[in-house]
Amino acid sequence: MFSFSQKKELYVNDDFVSISKLEFDKKSENEFDYKLRFDVDSCYINVKVLRNKKGKINLNVLDSIKKTFYKINQKELSDNDILLINYYPGSDECSTLGYKEKFNKQYKQYHRKFDGIKNLKQLFIYKSNDKIKDFGDKINWQPDTNNLIENTFYPIHYPCGGYILIDGKGNYISQRGEYLYSNLLIKKIKIFAETENN
């Protein structure tokens, strides 16, 4: 006689802290939060994801980010600068050709406005360059050297990647999941800059 054991279901928040199924199923205050499910060898891991996350990274990590990515660009970052990192993990079900073409169109429409924000510096970082050409040829993508951005901000694969805003003290906000250039993102950047510098 054969016995088939059912895989165990584990529930965690996006800091990988165990939570109950009741907490996992509880409706989020933010309608854009979502859930991910991963099939690993012996169980299913269900992750309750906060779409937007605030935190603070160690200044050594911030220094590594500056040295790793700005050394390549031959640029300097001052302590007053706000860093906007646009992150692409590689092709997935979310990052369709239509999404990338729309991102490229929004980039062309809004990049001058972003460039005009005082003290804002931008990076476009990828984990995998699979189908990255679909974003067009105007965006200067760089590889995530030593998986620094992934390990610090994106420990699991969030659909379509996301962005991170970091100030000179290491304070950050991150959106995990699909986004586009827009006036709303510009507003978020300005609010972040005002909040963190006061």
Side-chain angles (χ1 to χ4, degrees):
M1 182 176 188
F2 295 101
S3 72
F4 296 96
S5 60
Q6 194 173 9
K7 281 190 174 185
K8 189 174 180 180
E9 297 276 348
L10 298 176
Y11 301 92
V12 297
N13 63 23
D14 54 12
D15 288 322
F16 304 109
V17 175
S18 182
I19 59 175
S20 68
K21 185 176 186 317
L22 188 66
E23 179 64 26
F24 181 82
D25 290 335
K26 185 179 173 183
K27 188 172 179 180
S28 176
E29 293 176 15
N30 183 340
E31 64 178 311
F32 295 109
D33 292 348
Y34 57 95
K35 299 170 184 172
L36 295 174
R37 181 177 168 92
F38 298 95
D39 183 358
V40 295
D41 291 339
S42 59
C43 66
Y44 294 106
I45 299 177
N46 300 281
V47 185
K48 189 171 189 175
V49 177
L50 293 175
R51 179 68 158 231
N52 297 293
K53 186 167 186 165
K54 285 184 174 186
K56 186 167 186 170
I57 56 172
N58 187 293
L59 290 180
N60 290 338
V61 175
L62 179 57
D63 192 49
S64 293
I65 291 171
K66 289 179 180 181
K67 286 179 179 174
T68 301
F69 299 108
Y70 268 81
K71 185 171 63 175
I72 294 170
N73 285 347
Q74 302 298 313
K75 295 178 183 175
E76 293 290 328
L77 267 176
S78 78
D79 291 340
N80 295 325
D81 286 333
I82 300 289
L83 186 57
L84 169 59
I85 299 172
N86 301 271
Y87 181 74
Y88 173 65
S91 198
D92 60 25
E93 289 180 12
C94 169
S95 58
T96 61
L97 178 60
Y99 169 74
K100 292 173 191 169
E101 287 175 343
K102 188 169 183 183
F103 190 100
N104 185 35
K105 182 179 175 186
Q106 297 292 98
Y107 174 79
K108 287 177 182 176
Q109 181 180 351
Y110 285 98
H111 81 90
R112 284 192 182 90
K113 289 185 179 181
F114 279 78
D115 291 344
I117 299 173
K118 186 179 178 185
N119 297 334
L120 181 69
K121 305 290 189 256
Q122 278 198 86
L123 292 170
F124 292 86
I125 308 295
Y126 66 84
K127 175 183 177 181
S128 165
N129 64 0
D130 179 37
K131 299 183 181 177
I132 204 164
K133 290 182 179 178
D134 293 343
F135 283 105
D137 58 2
K138 300 291 184 192
I139 301 173
N140 179 26
W141 291 97
Q142 298 180 55
D144 186 9
T145 306
N146 299 322
N147 303 98
L148 180 57
I149 304 303
E150 177 189 20
N151 293 338
T152 305
F153 301 102
Y154 294 98
I156 58 177
H157 184 106
Y158 299 99
C160 284
Y163 69 82
I164 309 116
L165 288 167
I166 315 171
D167 72 7
K169 298 172 189 167
N171 299 303
Y172 74 87
I173 58 170
S174 172
Q175 179 167 317
R176 286 92 59 81
E178 180 180 1
Y179 79 101
L180 291 170
Y181 268 39
S182 65
N183 282 321
L184 179 61
L185 181 52
I186 290 171
K187 186 176 178 182
K188 284 184 179 180
I189 293 167
K190 289 180 176 177
I191 290 169
F192 177 76
E194 288 171 12
T195 304
E196 301 307 327
N197 288 327
N198 289 330

